[in-house]
Amino acid sequence: MTTMRLDDLRQYSDVLRSRNGEVVTVRFVEPRDAEALQNYFRSLTTRSRYNRFLGAASELPPSELDRFIHVGEADQFSVVATMLVEGFETIVGEARYAFDSETAAIEFGLSIDDRWQGHGIGKALLKNLECRAASFGATRLFGDTLRSNDAMIALARKSGYAFTNTPGDWKRTRFQKPFYVNPPEIPCASWRLSASSSSAMSSLTS
């Protein structure tokens, strides 16, 4: 598992590119993002919120918002994808992922602002999540989505995920794939360094 300094979250930011070359920054959510993150979810279409929350919701409940903005608790992490829009940092996507050390699996979910769908941001964000998973030493990634969520299903399929039934819920489908990348082979430089540093620390303390 990677060792992160949660008191300095900004060092774990990544700069990605959309399909058209726009700069997209992926960073951990911070407490200061609470209002902007809630406004992001409110701005999604009813259908997109339904797909993301797997049910009807107009916004994040206060308890869930609190979990979103406190990164690292119970090995759960939230990130936002932001762009400069008219000079202001604007959230255009988000993701939440959790690491289970017993199964070495990462479970995740994500969403992209309806106005920015089709720009390749979802694909870039998913690739970044795979880098983050690799830094934990994860061997499997998975998520659940509604069978009617064509956009997420298409993104997962194009990214090499296989599909199976979600246990106990016929309305959902599970997308998953086995996954293991050695630290030197992680394609994202920041997470390759994080994983390598963690491996070095483990060697020193073993």
Side-chain angles (χ1 to χ4, degrees), residues 11-16 26 123-135 179 181-196:
Q11 67 178 306
Y12 301 110
S13 299
D14 295 301
V15 176
L16 315 179
V26 177
K123 180 179 179 181
L125 180 56
L126 181 52
K127 285 293 185 184
N128 185 256
L129 289 177
E130 291 180 356
C131 287
R132 293 167 183 262
S135 73
F179 183 82
V181 179
N182 288 314
E185 299 170 347
I186 297 175
C188 307
S190 58
W191 294 99
R192 180 168 63 247
L193 179 62
S194 176
S196 297

Side-chain angles (χ1 to χ4, degrees), residues 13 51 97 139 146 155 164 186:
S13 299
N51 285 335
Y97 59 99
T139 59
L146 296 171
L155 174 61
T164 187
I186 297 175

Side-chain angles (χ1 to χ4, degrees), residues 117 148-156:
Q117 292 181 14
S148 58
N149 189 352
D150 296 333
M152 188 66 231
I153 289 173
L155 174 61

